[in-house]
Amino acid sequence: MSERTVRILLVEDNAKDARLLREMLNEQASFKYDLTHFESMEKAVAHLVANPVDMVMLDLGLPDAQGLEAVRRAHAAAPRVPLVVLADMDDESLAAQALQEGAQDYLVKGQIETRGLLRALRYAVDRKIMERALFDEMERAQVTLNSIGDAVICTDISGNITFFNLVAEKMTDWSWQEAAGRPMAEIFRLLGAASREITANPTEMAVERDRTVHLPSNSILIRRDGSEIPIEDSVAPIHDRQGQSTGAVMVFRDVSAVRAMALQMAHSAYHDFLTGLPNRMLLNDRLSQAIALARRHMKRVAVLFLDLDGFKHINDSLGHPIGDKLLQSIAGCLVDCVRGSDTVSRQGGDEFVVLLSEVEQSEDAAILARRMLQSVAMAHSIDQHDLHVTTSIGVSVYPDDGLDAETLIKNADTAMYQAKENGRQSYQFFKPAMNVRAVERHSIEESLRRAMERQEFALHYQPKINLKTGEITGAEALLRWTHPIRGPISPAQFIPVAEDCGLILPIGNWVLREACKQARAWMGAGLPLATMAVNISAMEFGDEDFLEGVLAILRDTGLDPRSLELELTESVLMKHAESAATVLRTLRAEGVKLAIDDFGTGYSSLSHLRKFPMDSLKIDQSFVRQITSAPDDTTIVIAVISMGRSLKLRVVAEGVETREELAFLKAQQCEEAQGFYFSRPVPPQQFVKLLETGIPDAATVVKP
């Protein structure tokens, strides 16, 4: 207490008594004091009002105080300051009454004891310490409550506001000064989000039940300006030392962001991030519900599975941002085609599924499918590009094609693949026979994945014949697959599957390497082989490592690039028109020969073909087989041969099988041919014999 200074106000008209008190205080060195002495109560009260003190010592015997009136005035001037009464021996009853009026202690005047004085002083000091501690604690509490992120409001037992922190001011739009003393119900108004009705005052509930309570979920605070904020809170009663409720404290927070985030997360869990359409999970849920309703109402449900045709080319040529915007545009078109009760879902990539609920008849699905084909095929204006894309649609119907969501979607997917095989930009209803083909396709894909490591592939070679000399001018390498159980599998069966699942890349790389190795071996053995032709698929040619892969294989095998001929279809060249010319020029510069395969079946034009550095073109066998019976095909073959000569390209006819076909081609001065008439594709050992002996009678047949 030596560090404490006690400010004492003494009202005593007797200077001697005042001096005695000062001397007694001087003897007590355990604390500091500051004694101010007044002889009149008037001056003392004026001092009390203007200056803080820690203790008032008052003489009841002051002539101008008139006893208890002086005590009352001192207490009124400083109600919380300890009041010590100085009384004569005969004034003890008056002193006792003074204690009831507000005095805390009294000393007997004339016989002031040190112990009594010290007791009064210590009381004042202790009170001062407690007040300062309480002030510090309140200050810390105030700073703390203003620093937290939650709003805090306190009320008394009557429900009137006793405290507001800064967050509460901001959330309610009431300042602490305006809210203080007002009823809680006036400041804090709550709505139920569902009922939109005013809810009970939470602080009253906490006091009533004498326990912590929580607001109903989805509660809304109505601010002073009428705006609304969703909140969460808890309310607890405040107790005094005797355990009696004296009020309540409520802590609440704005949950707008939390609820918005929860809604966003819930939406993201069931919707596609790019298009905003329902995703696979939500579609399955809605489809299951639609099936249940259709079963109850004796209706049908249709599922349409859509896959875009040629979308990958747009992504590859214009970039994924353009592709994403195109998907968003298509999503909008599909939504515009359906009813509000239907669902358009994006499954991922360029696949969409449409659910038609409560369909009367299957033809309704066909009508919608045709509408979607037209809508998707319209030009989509994306970043100054007019993009055109088509779609293939598969349709399945409940209950004919499945009784659950998974089966209906799977069967619609199967029907969609059939639509693509039928020429794309069309729709196809599911038929049970498609499942057999789907199972077969899956079996082929699984077997293909093991065929490489099991060395089940082999190359057969078919000769190309010079129609003037009858000599073998080259060979075309053709892939063959012999399954260990099923035996030989036609390329027409497994090549499309390999292209769809991406296995064509490693398979094509193996074919090119094996063909180059074989050609190098035959040429090294002195056999008369000029070129080795290898077919290149669209996926291989579009691969970013294609060019480097070809050059690496030529280096590894040691084959002269001039002995390699790569055959590409028109569709392959046109699909990658921009990059194709650059790649082809690089290959041509290395010496590699280039041929257009299956000419006449694609969609190229002469203006485009002139951009590509080609060496030869091959007439598709479908035209050759009809040249003796179909005048139109005859005209096409004549035109192609003439065009090839004008472009200085070597013309090769594929699929020659009869003497009549051969005679016609010779008459039109076609340079080369290949087909069963000369030889089927044969294994390497048999092809060696052909190189050694030539084609039997070929020279005689082709010469005039």
Side-chain angles (χ1 to χ4, degrees):
M1 209 159 39
S2 60
E3 297 302 317
R4 304 290 181 178
T5 299
V6 182
R7 294 165 297 186
I8 302 172
L9 176 62
L10 174 61
V11 184
E12 170 62 72
D13 65 338
N14 190 323
K16 180 180 177 182
D17 287 343
R19 189 167 56 254
L20 176 61
L21 285 171
R22 191 183 297 275
E23 289 174 358
M24 291 182 68
L25 291 173
N26 285 331
E27 292 175 0
Q28 307 304 318
S30 59
F31 56 85
K32 297 178 181 179
Y33 70 91
D34 179 10
L35 180 64
T36 303
H37 173 223
F38 289 96
E39 295 182 357
S40 72
M41 191 62 202
E42 297 298 332
K43 293 181 179 179
V45 170
H47 183 83
L48 273 175
V49 173
N51 301 281
V53 298
D54 297 317
M55 185 172 70
V56 176
M57 298 181 72
L58 175 65
D59 183 3
L60 273 182
L62 287 175
D64 60 334
Q66 297 301 314
L68 290 177
E69 181 62 26
V71 175
R72 294 190 187 101
R73 294 178 65 192
H75 182 63
R80 297 185 180 182
V81 176
L83 181 57
V84 178
V85 176
L86 302 177
D88 293 323
M89 291 291 290
D90 54 357
D91 290 333
E92 286 192 45
S93 60
L94 187 62
Q97 189 175 351
L99 294 179
Q100 296 178 2
E101 296 292 336
Q104 285 82 26
D105 206 346
Y106 76 94
L107 301 175
V108 181
K109 187 178 179 184
Q111 294 183 5
I112 299 176
E113 299 176 358
T114 302
R115 184 174 56 186
L117 179 60
L118 286 179
R119 182 178 64 185
L121 290 174
R122 287 188 183 280
Y123 181 86
V125 171
D126 290 344
R127 184 179 180 90
K128 179 176 181 179
I129 291 173
M130 289 177 63
E131 286 181 347
R132 288 183 178 174
L134 181 60
F135 177 82
D136 291 344
E137 189 65 30
M138 290 179 64
E139 188 70 19
R140 281 194 296 271
Q142 182 80 33
V143 171
T144 301
L145 293 175
N146 281 331
S147 300
I148 64 175
D150 291 347
V152 179
I153 298 178
C154 296
T155 66
D156 59 20
I157 194 66
S158 301
N160 297 322
I161 304 292
T162 60
F163 177 77
F164 242 49
N165 74 345
L166 294 178
V167 179
E169 289 184 341
K170 182 177 180 181
M171 288 183 62
T172 63
D173 200 28
W174 284 84
S175 70
W176 160 231
Q177 291 78 9
E178 293 174 305
R182 290 178 182 267
M184 182 70 168
E186 181 182 344
I187 305 300
F188 194 83
R189 292 185 297 152
L190 286 178
L191 277 181
S195 66
R196 300 297 297 176
E197 294 180 355
I198 299 292
T199 60
N201 190 316
T203 55
E204 291 180 0
M205 290 178 11
V207 172
E208 241 177 67
R209 300 175 186 178
D210 199 23
R211 63 180 175 82
T212 300
V213 297
H214 294 274
L215 283 182
S217 59
N218 297 323
S219 292
I220 296 175
L221 169 66
I222 304 176
R223 303 176 76 239
R224 188 179 187 180
D225 60 5
S227 59
E228 299 179 356
I229 302 175
I231 64 169
E232 290 178 352
D233 85 337
S234 63
V235 188
I238 300 173
H239 298 101
D240 60 16
R241 292 184 180 181
Q242 286 72 42
Q244 298 299 313
S245 294
T246 60
V249 58
M250 179 169 62
V251 180
F252 59 99
R253 66 197 60 85
D254 181 351
V255 292
S256 302
V258 174
R259 291 188 184 174
M261 180 66 72
L263 290 173
Q264 179 62 43
M265 291 177 66
H267 186 273
S268 299
Y270 293 100
H271 291 79
D272 172 53
F273 75 97
L274 178 63
T275 62
L277 295 175
N279 61 12
R280 189 190 308 266
M281 187 181 303
L282 183 54
L283 172 72
N284 287 343
D285 181 62
R286 290 187 180 177
L287 181 51
S288 297
Q289 293 181 33
I291 291 172
L293 287 173
R295 186 183 299 117
R296 187 180 310 154
H297 299 154
M298 303 297 291
K299 300 283 188 179
R300 292 171 175 268
V301 173
V303 174
L304 286 70
F305 199 112
L306 294 81
D307 185 90
L308 301 183
D309 306 320
F311 178 74
K312 185 178 184 299
H313 172 63
I314 291 175
N315 257 354
D316 292 343
S317 58
L318 299 178
H320 287 276
I322 297 293
D324 288 347
K325 291 181 180 179
L326 177 58
L327 288 174
Q328 292 169 341
S329 177
I330 291 170
C333 290
L334 297 179
V335 171
D336 290 340
C337 290
V338 302
R339 302 168 299 177
S341 58
D342 300 326
T343 297
V344 179
S345 165
R346 182 179 177 226
Q347 298 291 285
D350 58 351
E351 294 180 341
F352 297 84
V353 174
V354 179
L355 161 64
L356 305 183
S357 57
E358 297 198 358
V359 176
E360 294 291 341
Q361 52 190 2
S362 299
E363 179 58 24
D364 295 338
I367 293 171
L368 179 65
R370 289 193 288 270
R371 189 187 309 154
M372 287 182 167
L373 289 174
Q374 294 174 358
S375 180
V376 172
M378 294 177 65
H380 299 267
S381 182
I382 310 292
D383 290 357
Q384 299 180 345
H385 297 279
D386 284 336
L387 304 181
H388 293 83
V389 67
T390 60
T391 185
S392 299
I393 305 176
V395 185
S396 65
V397 179
Y398 167 87
D400 303 338
D401 305 323
L403 301 178
D404 58 76
E406 182 180 358
T407 303
L408 287 171
I409 293 174
K410 177 176 72 68
N411 288 343
D413 188 12
T414 300
M416 181 273 296
Y417 276 104
Q418 185 62 50
K420 281 189 178 292
E421 291 179 11
N422 291 348
R424 303 190 174 190
Q425 199 178 2
S426 63
Y427 68 91
Q428 180 72 49
F429 278 88
F430 173 78
K431 296 181 179 62
M434 294 178 184
N435 259 337
V436 177
R437 288 195 295 272
V439 171
E440 171 71 6
R441 183 189 180 284
H442 180 73
S443 175
I444 289 176
E445 180 178 336
E446 289 301 309
S447 298
L448 272 175
R449 295 185 184 280
R450 296 189 292 271
M452 288 279 291
E453 59 188 56
R454 293 179 178 178
Q455 299 181 344
E456 296 170 6
F457 292 125
L459 292 184
H460 285 193
Y461 301 89
Q462 187 175 41
K464 295 180 185 179
I465 307 300
N466 185 308
L467 295 186
K468 288 183 179 180
T469 65
E471 296 176 349
I472 296 175
T473 58
E476 180 177 356
L478 299 167
L479 181 63
R480 295 294 182 264
W481 177 25
T482 302
H483 191 276
I485 298 175
R486 300 169 59 178
I489 298 178
S490 166
Q493 283 184 278
F494 73 82
I495 292 296
V497 176
E499 290 178 338
D500 285 343
C501 66
L503 289 173
I504 196 66
L505 291 178
I507 292 174
N509 186 274
W510 179 86
V511 169
L512 182 60
R513 185 174 292 276
E514 286 298 307
C516 288
K517 252 167 47 176
Q518 187 64 79
R520 179 71 180 85
W522 285 338
M523 292 174 183
L527 294 173
L529 181 70
T531 59
M532 174 65 75
V534 178
N535 290 287
I536 302 299
S537 70
M539 186 172 290
E540 291 176 88
F541 190 72
D543 185 66
E544 59 182 11
D545 297 323
F546 170 72
L547 178 59
E548 181 55 39
V550 172
L551 299 179
I553 287 174
L554 288 171
R555 289 194 299 269
D556 294 345
T557 60
L559 181 67
D560 187 337
R562 293 172 294 181
S563 300
L564 175 63
E565 184 174 53
L566 300 181
E567 297 185 359
L568 302 102
T569 64
E570 295 172 83
S571 58
V572 170
L573 294 174
M574 298 310 300
K575 186 175 290 187
H576 305 278
E578 294 295 328
S579 58
T582 302
V583 173
L584 295 178
R585 280 194 291 269
T586 303
L587 289 170
R588 186 77 176 278
E590 293 289 333
V592 177
K593 293 182 171 57
L594 304 168
I596 300 176
D597 195 16
D598 300 335
F599 187 80
T601 61
Y603 50 86
S604 60
S605 62
L606 288 178
S607 61
H608 280 99
L609 288 178
R610 291 176 65 85
K611 296 178 181 179
F612 303 127
M614 310 307 292
D615 296 287
S616 61
L617 60 84
K618 301 181 73 174
I619 304 173
D620 186 69
Q621 58 184 347
S622 62
F623 297 116
V624 173
R625 288 175 185 170
Q626 302 296 322
I627 56 178
T628 58
S629 58
D632 289 342
D633 287 344
T634 301
T635 303
I636 291 174
V637 172
I638 293 173
V640 170
I641 294 173
S642 175
M643 182 187 69
R645 284 202 305 269
S646 66
L647 294 175
K648 296 182 173 53
L649 298 176
R650 188 173 72 258
V651 180
V652 183
E654 296 182 293
V656 178
E657 296 185 357
T658 67
R659 183 182 290 269
E660 290 78 14
E661 292 168 356
L662 177 60
F664 176 85
L665 293 170
K666 284 193 62 187
Q668 298 301 319
Q669 299 182 350
C670 181
E671 296 178 59
E672 294 183 4
Q674 65 184 90
F676 289 177
Y677 185 82
F678 305 108
S679 172
R680 292 177 175 273
V682 295
Q685 300 83 353
Q686 294 183 37
F687 194 82
V688 168
K689 292 180 181 179
L690 293 178
L691 289 175
E692 291 174 341
T693 62
I695 302 296
D697 301 326
T700 305
V701 171
V702 299
K703 288 180 180 178

